[in-house]
Amino acid sequence: MVDAQVKLGGQTLPLHDYQLYSMNFIMDHPYCGIFLDIGLGKTLTTLAALAKLREEGMKGHILVIAPKTVAKSTWQDEIDKWNLPFKTQSFLTDEKGRQLTPAGRQELYEAAAAKAAKGDWQLYFASRDLVSKLVDLGPWLFKNVVIDESQSFKSPASQRFKALKSVRGRIQRLIELTGTPAPNSFQDLWSQIYLLDQGERLGRSITAYRQQYFEPTLLVNNHPVKWRLLPGSEEKNLPGHRRYRHLHEKYPAEIAGTDREPGLGGNASKGQKELPAAEKKTRSWTYPARRLAPKTRLF
């Protein structure tokens, strides 16, 4: 059942209340994560927010970073379905669907720079494997970035994370989307949250984060290689717990009903306690990036 009708350039988008809430949240928070389970409309919600921001004067190219198959079709399909006002191009394929060569990407990047100079803003698609290559092509062009499946940036040692980190200061709006922000453990959160707040909340390095919230369980050559969460760290300090705003509490009827454990990547694994049936619901969180100002309230 649709709860809201959002008008965009002559089009009307049907959104659930939690999508409208998330759309407004994106608009109000330049650096944020929308951590909603699969099938709850993250793509349309984000496109609606970006279109609204464009109407309000948001400047700059938009870059959507996504898994290759998603970057090739899912976002464009949603734009076409709702006739949203975005001009799009891809760093993956040309207009005939042929894979772009490195020379083709360089040409497209230079054309994007020329368009930016004229205020001709577009929306571009790239796979996560192309991020480091785009950074190397020239001065960073994309003031607005969306990372679809942001857990793919969970490793602080990965080239994609290092590349995006190096241009983070040039990004004026960053939106992270995922249904599984911590697919393996809470260590997966650090790099994702760092890209949002540049280390203010969880520390400026993965080492500092581990030292504060974890303890080593296995040493190899006197070097820790396995860690476990310190008792109480989840409840007191880590993103995603009750001190943050939970959408499932605000709109339980609309986003309840799945059997996925929130944020940790699916059903309970071997050795973990299964949730009671009554508690098996999607706890979908909207994370604000803490604004770099004193006395900012976290929720």
Side-chain angles (χ1 to χ4, degrees), residues 41 43 61-62 88 97 104 137 147 152 175 180 221 260 290 299:
T43 303
H61 288 318
I62 301 168
T88 63
L137 287 178
I147 307 177
S152 63
I175 305 165
T180 53
N221 296 327
R260 300 190 64 180
R290 184 174 183 176
F299 51 89

Side-chain angles (χ1 to χ4, degrees), residues 105-152:
R105 281 195 296 271
Q106 180 71 56
E107 183 178 345
L108 179 58
Y109 200 87
E110 292 172 359
K115 289 176 181 178
K118 296 185 296 184
D120 182 11
W121 315 123
Q122 295 198 1
L123 188 153
Y124 293 84
F125 303 111
S127 67
R128 50 207 182 192
D129 295 329
L130 287 178
V131 172
S132 59
K133 294 181 175 65
L134 291 181
V135 170
D136 291 339
L137 287 178
W140 186 252
L141 299 176
F142 308 101
K143 293 182 178 181
N144 311 286
V145 176
V146 178
I147 307 177
D148 196 352
E149 303 295 346
S150 63
Q151 77 277 7
S152 63

Side-chain angles (χ1 to χ4, degrees), residues 1-45:
M1 181 178 176
V2 174
D3 304 293
Q5 302 286 336
V6 176
K7 294 188 180 299
L8 286 169
Q11 294 297 112
T12 300
L13 301 184
L15 298 180
H16 294 289
D17 275 347
Y18 70 86
Q19 288 178 295
L20 182 63
Y21 174 84
S22 298
M23 183 195 79
N24 289 328
F25 194 91
I26 291 171
M27 296 177 67
D28 291 340
H29 297 82
Y31 305 100
C32 66
I34 304 299
F35 294 178
L36 288 171
D37 206 354
I38 187 171
L40 293 180
K42 294 186 291 292
T43 303
L44 180 59
T45 298

Side-chain angles (χ1 to χ4, degrees), residues 196-217:
L196 295 179
D197 65 11
Q198 296 184 286
E200 183 172 350
R201 190 159 45 199
L202 297 184
R204 297 187 62 83
S205 72
I206 185 65
T207 300
Y209 174 56
R210 285 169 173 162
Q211 290 175 345
Q212 184 170 0
Y213 298 119
F214 299 82
E215 59 183 358
T217 60

Side-chain angles (χ1 to χ4, degrees), residues 30-250:
Y31 305 100
C32 66
I34 304 299
F35 294 178
L36 288 171
D37 206 354
I38 187 171
L40 293 180
K42 294 186 291 292
T43 303
L44 180 59
T45 298
T46 305
L47 286 169
L50 291 171
K52 277 286 189 184
L53 287 165
R54 272 281 193 256
E55 287 184 347
E56 295 179 2
M58 183 184 75
K59 298 180 179 180
H61 288 318
I62 301 168
L63 178 67
V64 174
I65 303 167
K68 187 175 294 185
T69 55
V70 175
K72 282 183 175 180
S73 61
T74 302
W75 284 79
Q76 187 64 60
D77 290 347
E78 201 77 349
I79 290 170
D80 293 342
K81 176 181 178 180
W82 299 105
N83 195 26
L84 295 173
F86 293 106
K87 293 182 289 184
T88 63
Q89 285 188 282
S90 174
F91 283 99
L92 290 162
T93 58
D94 62 18
E95 294 178 353
K96 296 182 179 180
R98 298 172 300 195
Q99 184 172 338
L100 278 185
T101 63
R105 281 195 296 271
Q106 180 71 56
E107 183 178 345
L108 179 58
Y109 200 87
E110 292 172 359
K115 289 176 181 178
K118 296 185 296 184
D120 182 11
W121 315 123
Q122 295 198 1
L123 188 153
Y124 293 84
F125 303 111
S127 67
R128 50 207 182 192
D129 295 329
L130 287 178
V131 172
S132 59
K133 294 181 175 65
L134 291 181
V135 170
D136 291 339
L137 287 178
W140 186 252
L141 299 176
F142 308 101
K143 293 182 178 181
N144 311 286
V145 176
V146 178
I147 307 177
D148 196 352
E149 303 295 346
S150 63
Q151 77 277 7
S152 63
F153 282 74
K154 66 181 181 293
S155 171
S158 68
Q159 289 300 313
R160 65 187 64 157
F161 170 76
K162 292 178 180 178
L164 203 57
K165 178 185 176 185
S166 71
V167 296
R168 170 58 177 76
R170 294 175 176 268
I171 298 172
Q172 297 178 0
R173 184 172 291 275
L174 177 62
I175 305 165
E176 293 183 355
L177 307 174
T178 181
T180 53
N184 301 313
S185 77
F186 279 110
Q187 290 188 68
D188 296 341
L189 290 173
W190 180 82
S191 57
Q192 296 173 77
I193 303 303
Y194 180 90
L195 290 174
L196 295 179
D197 65 11
Q198 296 184 286
E200 183 172 350
R201 190 159 45 199
L202 297 184
R204 297 187 62 83
S205 72
I206 185 65
T207 300
Y209 174 56
R210 285 169 173 162
Q211 290 175 345
Q212 184 170 0
Y213 298 119
F214 299 82
E215 59 183 358
T217 60
L218 179 63
L219 301 178
V220 175
N221 296 327
N222 206 35
H223 180 75
V225 295
K226 287 188 178 181
W227 304 77
R228 67 184 172 199
L229 198 63
L230 286 169
S233 290
E234 178 182 350
E235 292 84 353
K236 294 179 182 178
N237 299 295
L238 293 179
H241 208 271
R242 59 176 59 95
R243 66 195 285 248
Y244 290 82
R245 185 171 294 170
H246 289 201
L247 283 183
H248 81 96
E249 293 175 352
K250 194 171 183 67

